[in-house]
Amino acid sequence: MIESVGRWFREKLTGFSYAFNFFLFLLKETAHFPWNKRVGFKVLIMQIYFTGVEALSVIALISLGIGAVIIIQGIAILPMFGQGNLMYTILIMVITRELGPLLTAFIITARSGSAITTELGNMVISHEIEAYLSIGIHPVSYLGVPRLYGVILAMLFLNIYFNLFGLLGSYLVASFLHDIPFTDYLMNLVLALTPADIISTFLKSIIFGFIIAVVSIYYGFNVNRAVTEVPQNTIKSIGMSITLCIIADAILVVVTRL
Amino acid sequence: MKFGFRHADKFVGLFILVAVVFLGSALVVTSINRRWFARDYEYFTRFTSANGLSVGMPLELRGFEIGKIKSYTLNADNKVDVTIVIYDTYIDKATEGSVIELAVSPIGLGGGLNFYPGTVSDRILDEFSYIPSNKSAEGKALLMSDKVDKPDGEDAIAAIMDNINPILLGVDNMINSLTGIGNQVESALAGNQATPLGGMLVNLEATTAELNTLLPAIDAILLEVAKMSRSLSLLMVELEDPTGLVPTLLDPSGSLETMLNDDNEMYGYITSILGEIQTNLENLSSMTNDLKGITPELNMVLDETTGAIQEGKKVLEGLSNNPLLRGGISEEASADYQHATLRDEEF
């Protein structure tokens, strides 16, 4: 009993130590990436393409729907309490500050995080990682870092698109139901938008993107030799990414509201 | 190679470009709206109380927001030092001799901070300099000397009235509407209108006239009812009177006494009548029983009589239809009644 507890603790400690060292190494390589003139840039572009461009339709649809629902409900309910102008504050609060970064993070986790883990895990099993090492290319630098940059940038830009479709696209839906001049709508939105909202949403995007990328890369390289490890690690990476994103979101909300 | 992969660079470039343009536009619009890059000139003024003051409160010149309150503190002399900013677009209004006025409603209708430019010179006040308030000695002197661009009637009350004016306008409109309604009703009552209200009043007049013709008849009916009521009252009085009808009937020398003390003559007479009635009823009962006994025979006799009558009818018809006389006897299917009584039938 005591031996098994000790073994479990030693394995956890070893695993945590490995993860921490991996994280530090990834950070170091990430810092060096802009000065690295090797072919990693092409990997970065492809990663932004897969993570950002290909997810744009899903993001647009979701943000349009959420924005429309908020504005329709707001127009219907808030004027009853004489708080019609709060609709714009709620739009900014929900789309820009909260749901935008979080939903984008969930979508990227489901689409790209799982893909990164699976791809890297399969490369480990097929000994491609060893091949890179044999020719002097570090797999974390060449495969991991561009993916990290790609996911963070894609997350950042997708969040901007989420706001674009959520805030402006919702106007199109609302204009079918109510006669709201576009200039009034835009001016009220701008009045409701504060620098804190912009900083908060960008900060969240970068942190969520970083979490998703690091977790996905780590679990991808964490595969050892069996093919069955790939789906297991993929599931773990998705669960861990979502959990960490929600925790980070809660911390950021508390910090930005202090 | 897939189209997307071949042109991935272009797609990613466009993807980033559109996002950056949108972000840039949002930042520019927000920065303009929030005056991030605009120059604000700082001044300070002094009030005796902070009542009605708040950070961000607009400083207005003839209804235009030319600045706002940045901060205010209580100084060592228990006066309130207020730091205000004037926007760069209106800095030419901050001339020497300007006065700031705080208008606060004593009944909680809000207030405002008004700015009155000095008219003595066009020299713009140095930044961080003092602008007197209307409550200070300098401010009062400037206002009294008429060296301030203050529109006639624009004072604290006027500023408050600006806030109340929309409400008063609404009340005024309501009073106008009520006056209009009153005039219309008055005109209708005078019979000058062909509108529904006028029509209603005309109908009301006709109804009143008809009612006037009916009133005499109603009066007559009411007189009759009054008579009936009086009679009923008299009857009730009689009934209530202890010397009235009932005691008279029950009197020892009255009719009842006479009827009851006649040596059973009336009783005997009534007994004999009742005996005769009983005899008649017994006879009737025996007759009824006899009739009940001969009912089947009577039925048969009646059936036969009916048949004889029908035959006689035929004979008479034959005679009337005789070719020699008329047209012979018409043929008829026989329909004999087979059962003596209804109970003989089998269902």
Side-chain angles (χ1 to χ4, degrees):
Chain A
M1 167 75 178
I2 294 169
E3 187 184 348
S4 62
V5 171
R7 187 166 56 247
W8 173 84
F9 183 73
R10 187 166 54 81
E11 282 173 1
K12 286 289 172 192
L13 197 64
T14 307
F16 181 75
S17 172
Y18 172 77
F20 186 67
N21 283 310
F22 178 85
F23 177 67
L24 289 180
F25 183 74
L26 188 65
L27 274 184
K28 191 185 86 176
E29 291 299 313
T30 304
H32 289 161
F33 182 77
W35 292 274
N36 195 340
K37 299 295 181 188
R38 283 188 287 190
V39 287
F41 186 74
K42 184 65 183 172
V43 181
L44 169 65
I45 294 294
M46 292 312 289
Q47 189 60 49
I48 294 173
Y49 177 78
F50 289 134
T51 309
V53 178
E54 289 192 339
L56 192 58
S57 55
V58 181
I59 290 287
L61 191 67
I62 290 173
S63 61
L64 199 67
I66 289 173
V69 166
I70 291 169
I71 202 162
I72 289 167
Q73 295 279 26
I75 287 173
I77 294 168
L78 290 173
M80 292 164 67
F81 306 102
Q83 301 292 334
N85 278 334
L86 267 183
M87 183 182 68
Y88 302 99
T89 309
I90 291 171
L91 263 177
I92 294 290
M93 189 70 71
V94 174
I95 289 180
T96 305
R97 278 189 91 123
E98 296 304 328
L99 282 187
L102 206 60
L103 279 180
T104 309
F106 288 168
I107 291 164
I108 287 182
T109 303
R111 284 190 81 258
S112 306
S114 58
I116 289 168
T117 306
T118 309
E119 187 187 11
L120 294 178
N122 284 328
M123 288 173 85
V124 171
I125 289 163
S126 60
H127 303 287
E128 286 180 55
I129 302 299
E130 291 168 11
Y132 280 119
L133 285 169
S134 67
I135 56 173
I137 296 172
H138 200 288
V140 173
S141 308
Y142 181 68
L143 300 172
V145 175
R147 282 170 173 73
L148 178 69
Y149 271 107
V151 170
I152 291 172
L153 288 173
M155 175 77 202
L156 194 65
F157 293 126
L158 276 181
N159 190 24
I160 293 170
Y161 279 104
F162 193 99
N163 281 276
L164 176 68
F165 288 110
L167 297 176
L168 299 185
S170 60
Y171 169 76
L172 296 176
V173 178
S175 62
F176 285 117
L177 304 173
H178 299 277
D179 185 24
I180 305 173
F182 181 70
T183 47
D184 287 2
Y185 177 81
L186 197 63
M187 193 50 67
N188 283 316
L189 267 186
V190 169
L191 285 171
L193 186 68
T194 62
D197 296 326
I198 298 172
I199 292 167
S200 172
T201 192
F202 284 155
L203 199 63
K204 282 183 181 180
S205 296
I206 292 166
I207 290 172
F208 292 168
F210 186 78
I211 288 170
I212 294 163
V214 170
V215 170
S216 304
I217 293 164
Y218 169 75
Y219 277 103
F221 284 122
N222 202 33
V223 173
N224 283 322
R225 54 184 71 84
V227 179
T228 50
E229 286 179 61
V230 176
Q232 288 173 356
N233 279 275
T234 305
I235 291 165
K236 282 179 188 172
S237 94
I238 292 170
M240 183 62 76
S241 296
I242 290 173
T243 308
L244 290 177
C245 281
I246 290 171
I247 292 169
D249 186 45
I251 292 168
L252 283 169
V253 167
V254 172
V255 169
T256 52
R257 287 291 175 193
L258 282 177
Chain B
M1 197 178 189
K2 194 181 167 186
F3 178 80
F5 291 175
R6 269 192 289 134
H7 301 283
D9 291 353
K10 292 172 191 168
F11 281 122
V12 170
L14 191 66
F15 175 73
I16 292 171
L17 193 67
V18 173
V20 169
V21 166
F22 172 69
L23 178 65
S25 308
L27 283 173
V28 166
V29 173
T30 308
S31 66
I32 290 169
N33 187 55
R34 294 191 169 271
R35 301 179 53 80
W36 283 352
F37 306 109
R39 174 97 159 83
D40 291 340
Y41 293 85
E42 222 174 278
Y43 296 93
F44 81 96
T45 186
R46 191 167 289 144
F47 291 107
T48 51
S49 169
N51 281 337
L53 292 174
S54 61
V55 173
M57 187 177 179
L59 176 67
E60 292 184 348
L61 169 60
R62 300 190 185 221
F64 285 88
E65 185 179 330
I66 64 163
K68 62 183 177 183
I69 292 179
K70 189 180 177 185
S71 64
Y72 56 93
T73 54
L74 189 67
N75 64 18
D77 300 328
N78 290 332
K79 297 283 177 63
V80 182
D81 286 339
V82 181
T83 305
I84 58 165
V85 291
I86 294 178
Y87 305 146
D88 54 353
T89 45
Y90 293 104
I91 191 61
D92 58 322
K93 307 293 181 189
T95 52
E96 276 186 346
S98 298
V99 175
I100 289 176
E101 180 190 52
L102 175 64
V104 182
S105 164
I107 54 171
L109 291 172
L113 203 61
N114 294 323
F115 184 86
Y116 302 125
T119 54
V120 179
S121 76
D122 292 336
R123 186 176 169 273
I124 294 168
L125 286 165
D126 296 329
E127 197 176 1
F128 307 112
S129 62
Y130 170 70
I131 301 176
S133 71
N134 64 325
K135 298 292 181 188
S136 66
E138 306 99 299
K140 283 178 183 170
L142 283 166
L143 288 169
M144 291 293 288
S145 63
D146 208 17
K147 292 175 181 173
V148 176
D149 180 17
K150 184 181 178 185
D152 292 336
E154 184 160 335
D155 52 10
I157 300 301
I160 294 163
M161 287 306 289
D162 283 345
N163 292 331
I164 305 172
N165 269 343
I167 301 167
L168 291 175
L169 200 64
V171 173
D172 191 35
N173 286 336
M174 194 178 74
I175 289 169
N176 282 337
S177 302
L178 286 172
T179 308
I181 293 166
N183 288 336
Q184 203 175 359
V185 170
E186 197 177 344
S187 170
L189 288 171
N192 299 331
Q193 280 200 355
T195 54
L197 185 61
M200 281 169 67
L201 288 169
V202 169
N203 288 337
L204 188 64
E205 191 183 356
T207 309
T208 311
E210 282 181 17
L211 203 61
N212 283 335
T213 58
L214 285 172
L215 280 173
I218 292 169
D219 283 343
I221 291 165
L222 285 173
L223 281 173
E224 291 297 322
V225 170
K227 282 179 187 173
M228 286 167 69
S229 297
R230 276 198 298 276
S231 301
L232 203 60
S233 298
L234 286 171
L235 182 63
M236 292 305 291
V237 169
E238 287 293 329
L239 286 171
E240 285 174 2
D241 188 1
T243 62
L245 183 65
V246 176
T248 306
L249 285 171
L250 297 175
D251 193 287
S253 60
S255 301
L256 283 175
E257 178 64 19
T258 307
M259 281 193 294
L260 293 172
N261 296 322
D262 60 348
D263 296 328
N264 291 333
E265 188 179 345
M266 184 179 282
Y267 177 76
Y269 184 64
I270 292 169
T271 306
S272 66
I273 290 170
L274 289 172
E276 283 177 12
I277 289 170
Q278 189 180 2
T279 308
N280 288 335
L281 285 170
E282 283 170 354
N283 289 337
L284 187 64
S285 177
S286 65
M287 273 176 69
T288 308
N289 287 331
D290 291 343
L291 280 170
K292 193 178 177 183
I294 63 169
T295 298
E297 288 81 1
L298 276 174
N299 282 338
M300 289 179 69
V301 169
L302 285 171
D303 285 343
E304 285 172 3
T305 306
T306 306
I309 289 167
Q310 284 176 349
E311 288 299 323
K313 187 183 172 187
K314 288 176 189 171
V315 170
L316 287 171
E317 190 178 356
L319 286 171
S320 64
N321 292 340
N322 192 298
L324 297 174
L325 300 171
R326 292 286 175 89
I329 300 169
S330 58
E331 288 187 3
E332 177 183 84
S334 62
D336 295 335
Y337 191 69
Q338 294 179 352
H339 306 289
T341 63
L342 201 64
R343 283 180 179 278
D344 295 336
E345 284 186 282
E346 289 181 2
F347 294 101

